[in-house]
Every structure is written in structure tokens, then in C-alpha cells.
Amino acid sequence: MNLVGIIFVLIAVGRFSEAKYEGHQVWRIIPATYQHVEWLGELERTRGEEFDFWTPVLKRVNHPVDIMVRPDLQSLLRTLLQHRGLGFHVMIDDVGKLVSSQMSELSERRENGRLSGTALSGFDYNVYHTYEEIMQWVDDIATEYSHIVESFLLGYSSEGRPIKGIKIRGTGSHDANPRAVWFEGGIHAREWVSPATVMGFTQKLLDEYDNGDNLVVEMFDNLDWYIIPSLNVDGYSYTWSSDRMWRKTRSLNAESPCIGTDPNRNWPYEWGGVGASTWECSDTYRGARPVSEIEVSNAIDFMRKKKADGQDFIVFIDFHSYSQVIIAPWSYLDSDPRTEDYNDQMALALEMQSAIKDTHDVVYNYGAGAEILYACSGVTSDWGYGTYSQHGGNTDGGLGAKYSYTVELRDEGQHGFLLPEDQIQPSYEEMHAAVRALGAHVLNEMSATVQ
């Protein structure tokens, strides 16, 4: 799409989304008791189609829960909260106005020529980019760093868009099949800071490698790194063209007018359990079957082929927004959700948390999924950790990556999914620090195992 076309789209989606979300508010509710926490968790499970929970309900007293509320449901929710002795305050007074403001800012910048194009030399990591620009970035990164980077086609989306990623292997690698890391962003369409953050910290690491940074050289020479900046490319494109707050894929659902599936409820490991809706119109719709979404199938098929060819994955991270949490498996279990590697997973999460805090003094919580959140099934991090089934198909088993996490990025609800662009750089800077901490931890563990 040329610049004029992009500007037109941005103006159109800004006006459309403002009207669509006019009067929608985001309410912050702070549960003061465990009874409040349990009730909010039940409300999310039973009425999540009516009330859009922007943050999951953590199993913690005094941890805020943000809900986007339509104008016609505000009186109802106010009454329900009053009956439970719960108050709230308005975090975002009018979502429609905030959407329109963000899209207008994007179109104004492009119209005034303040975006230097998509060539890598002029790529601005501190602004949001379209799907086309992100895919161009993949190609340009592979060209610029061709001595250690190659691009690959993960597959095509349900609407036929290419989904591309990069593989990084250092020049000092001597293993035909080194252990591997998988990073993916943008599985939920409206979480724009996810692809932006993944691209930002990737570029910083690549520069550090070329500048001889000892840690990054060891990271890239001893591990393969597979990085997908945007997995749900149809949904992401739709947030630029039609609905800024769209979450799901854009696949058709048989016998339903409602479009899309939640790709983070569609992974096959323990698919179809709690915390995933069977209703096609829900934002957490699990799909008609496990791996119904071609985007999920593409990712699983790619990693299973690597496993079959002898490459083991030690890290799997799915980057989301928002709420600043590092979430380890298990998420599908209602009780006793800690894995057998829980202590090691929490040790690494603590190191990542410390690195993040040391960067911009931002605090991330961490824990096992269903222990700090309410249970949900069919999610990425459970599949990432689940035992690999060598002879199974793409609905059997998981990846077998010891360090599998979902990372919820900035912020804590002041802007939610509409994070301003001035927070992109601090987001990728603190994740860059977290990835360095992760690399050091994994390398130390690998070294200790060899010894």
C-alpha cells in the first residue's frame, strides 16, 4: 500500500473506531478480598462476552482488573459491583476518542513525511508500523545482517498474507542443530506494542553481536533464535484498516456471522478446557477444534519439523500486552499448576524481572499461570512446555521447551492496548535487558550440564 493509501486508511479507521467505541469506558476495579477476586474471575468466565476484560483476573487481592464497558451495560455493571461491595474508577473515559487520537496522530505523521519509509536505514523503532512495513523489516534485517540472519516464510494466513520471521545463528556456531529459542509477537491483533517491542530488542541484540558484546556473541553462537514479530497478521492488518480494538484472527466460522478465533485459545495442548469460550462471537473463542487456525498450525508445523530434524527448543516466549506479568505454565490446571521445572522457571523469571526493573524501574509480576491468574486452556505457553510427541501430529503433545512463558508487556492500564508511542522504546529496552538475562541463564545452565 502506498503512503496516500495508508493515510486514507488511518483516517477512515480512526473515524470508524471512534464511532464504534464511542462512550465505551475502561473501569478499574480493585478487589479487596479473595471473595472479590473469585467473583471477578467468575464474571469473566460467565459474562466475558458482555464485559471486555482488558486484563486477566489475578489470584491476588488488591491487584487491579480493567474492564471495557459498553455504554448500555455501564448501569448493569455498576449495580453488580455495588451488590458485591466493590467500587471502581474510570481509567479511560472514552475509548473511541483515544482510538481516534492515536490514529489521527499516525496519519498526521505520515502525511507530513515524518516517517522515513521502511528501508532499514530509516526504520523508526519508536513508532507503530503497518503489517507491510513489519514484513519489509524482516527482509531488510535479513539483508543487513546476512552473515548471521536469514528470513523464512512461516506460512500464509487465512486471508493469504505471508507470515515471515527471521532465524539468527552466530558465525561462531559449530553445531548443526544447536538448541533453540522461539519468540513470537502479535498473536492478539490489538496489542500493537508486542511486534514493536520484538523488533526493537532484536535490532539492539544484532548490533551488540556485531560490536562484539561477549554475552550476545555467546548467545547467538550457541543457540538458534527464531523470531516472528507478528503471527496474527490478518487481525493486525484489520486493526489498521477497520477496528483498532480487534483481538482475534479473521477466519470464517461455519454457521456463524461472527468472525475469528482467539489464537491463544487454539493451541492443542489441553485444548477445550476452562477459560476458553465455545461461542464464536466471544473474544476468547477457542475455535471449532484444536489448531483450527492456519496461523497456529503454521507455527506448530514449523517447530515440529525442527524437532523431528533433531533440534531441541529450550525457550518459548509469546509476547503480549498488557499488565506487566511473566507467566509460566501451567495455565490449564485449576489447582496445583506448578510444573516439575517450576523452581527453575521462577528463578529465570526473577532474573528477568530484576533486569527489567534495573532498566526503567518498572516492576513485572511472575508466577505459574493458573496460580496467579484464573485457569485458561489452549494457550501458547502450555503447549511450549508440554511434552513433545515424536510420532504425533500437530494436535499431539507440545514443544518440550523448559522455559516457556507468556510475557505481558506495558502498561498497567493507564492506556492499556492503546499504549502511546513514547512508551515503545522503554518497552523494548527493558525486554532487551530481560532477554540478555535469559540468555545468560540458559548459557550457564547449558555449561553446567556439559560439565
Side-chain angles (χ1 to χ4, degrees), residues 200-242:
F201 72 64
T202 298
Q203 191 276 329
K204 287 178 69 67
L205 292 168
L206 289 168
D207 275 359
E208 287 174 333
Y209 184 90
D210 277 359
N211 289 330
D213 183 282
N214 290 335
L215 173 57
V216 179
V217 169
E218 289 295 309
M219 287 164 57
F220 287 178
D221 282 356
N222 289 280
L223 295 160
D224 279 356
W225 299 70
Y226 298 97
I227 301 174
I228 310 293
S230 180
L231 184 65
N232 179 11
V233 295
D234 290 346
Y236 184 77
S237 297
Y238 192 70
T239 62
W240 283 77
S241 67
S242 301

Side-chain angles (χ1 to χ4, degrees), residues 266-268 291 295-305 383 393-395:
N266 193 238
W267 294 67
V291 199
E295 297 84 358
V296 175
S297 177
N298 287 336
I300 290 175
D301 287 347
F302 183 92
M303 285 179 274
R304 284 190 63 85
K305 185 177 187 307
W383 181 87
N394 68 357
T395 60

